[in-house]
Amino acid sequence: MRQIVLDTETTGLEVSQGHRIIEIGCVELVNRKLTGNHYHQYINPRREIDQGAIEVHGITNDFLADKPTFESVVAGFLEFIQGAELVIHNAPFDVGFLNSELQRLQGHGTIEDRCTITDTLVMARAKHPGQRNSLDALCQRYTVDNSQRDLHGALLDAEILADVYLAMTGGQTALQLSDSGTDNDGQALIEQTIPLPENRAPLPVIRATADELAGHRAQLDAIAAACGGKVLWRKSETASAAQ
């Protein structure tokens, strides 16, 4: 299964106002594993970028002045995503801008003609109703490192979203010792017990050497000196010896 995690940056928020794509970032997953393949392209939109957008992503008109147009890069981009499942956070935004660019060129159809689309924002709202489900909020919820995300960037955000998506769809995300519960689809979990053969070899018992025991005692002495003699390990050893 081939998936492409995709993000874009734009000149503004409303495609209906003629705003354009200025950056595309994609990372590839095959069988839920990052392959290291990616697509990244800055694009000259041939129009001014809203100041509010610059404050979000930091991309300026001067920076894009020598970058290629969407028409120049469309063939390579479509080849990279062809036939894949696109994983996008708030997919209508990015897909709307991509289809607008394709419509300007004509003859390329739509993104939906080439790919299926999974919206991680819709997934997150279903899993966490009533909670914040922005990419930053999901990073905090799933302990995904987004410390480098001072500004939005299409490739960086695609990489972060890939980690979030894998965590959000990967099943167990916390240690659960109970035999009961439900799986990700809400189905009751069935306890499965696999008996060990009676003639199995006994487990080896590896005891600490004299040097290791001496090192252990020295470490306990250091802890005792630092905390006024209150070492719980020694209390446990004393209790065990009395039994």
Side-chain angles (χ1 to χ4, degrees):
M1 176 178 64
R2 183 171 184 262
Q3 297 171 299
I4 300 296
V5 186
L6 179 147
D7 187 60
T8 65
E9 300 298 338
T10 62
T11 61
L13 291 177
E14 298 295 336
V15 68
S16 61
Q17 296 177 1
H19 283 293
R20 307 286 300 271
I21 291 176
I22 57 175
E23 184 186 9
I24 302 174
C26 303
V27 295
E28 182 185 58
L29 298 172
V30 175
N31 296 328
R32 295 181 52 80
K33 293 182 179 180
L34 288 162
T35 66
N37 292 334
H38 70 275
Y39 177 91
H40 183 225
Q41 183 65 61
Y42 290 107
I43 297 168
N44 185 337
R46 293 185 172 175
R47 62 153 292 160
E48 292 296 303
I49 305 172
D50 282 1
Q51 183 59 40
I54 294 175
E55 291 172 1
V56 170
H57 50 58
I59 302 172
T60 64
N61 295 288
D62 289 342
F63 176 78
L64 297 175
D66 62 348
K67 302 302 185 287
T69 62
F70 186 84
E71 182 178 9
S72 301
V73 303
V74 64
F77 168 65
L78 293 179
E79 181 181 0
F80 186 80
I81 68 169
Q82 182 66 39
E85 174 189 359
L86 297 185
V87 178
I88 308 172
H89 200 66
N90 191 19
F93 178 88
D94 301 89
V95 172
F97 270 93
L98 289 167
N99 281 340
S100 177
E101 297 288 353
L102 294 175
Q103 187 177 19
R104 281 187 173 91
L105 301 179
Q106 300 182 353
H108 292 287
T110 66
I111 293 298
E112 294 91 336
D113 293 334
R114 293 172 170 78
C115 305
T116 58
I117 297 168
T118 294
D119 190 339
T120 51
L121 179 57
V122 173
M123 293 175 56
R125 285 172 174 169
K127 288 177 69 70
H128 311 290
Q131 301 183 52
R132 293 177 59 248
N133 289 299
S134 66
L135 185 55
D136 284 335
L138 292 174
C139 285
Q140 183 175 6
R141 188 171 301 141
Y142 289 100
T143 62
V144 171
D145 182 12
N146 65 341
S147 58
Q148 296 181 332
R149 197 178 186 240
D150 295 328
L151 293 171
H152 290 214
L155 184 59
L156 175 60
D157 285 1
E159 292 171 343
I160 291 173
L161 180 58
D163 289 339
V164 167
Y165 171 76
L166 291 172
M168 190 162 53
T169 60
Q172 182 174 319
T173 57
L175 181 63
Q176 180 177 337
L177 301 179
S178 171
D179 292 330
S180 61
T182 58
D183 62 15
N184 288 339
D185 297 321
Q187 301 297 316
L189 295 175
I190 300 174
E191 181 180 358
Q192 293 183 342
T193 303
I194 302 175
L196 295 174
E198 294 182 358
N199 61 347
R200 69 186 185 277
L203 295 176
V205 177
I206 302 175
R207 301 189 182 280
T209 65
D211 288 342
E212 289 170 337
L213 290 172
H216 175 66
R217 287 192 294 270
Q219 183 64 34
L220 293 181
D221 289 341
I223 295 173
C227 65
K230 298 179 180 179
V231 182
L232 293 179
W233 191 290
R234 281 190 170 150
K235 291 183 180 180
S236 174
E237 287 179 333
T238 302
S240 297
Q243 293 177 355

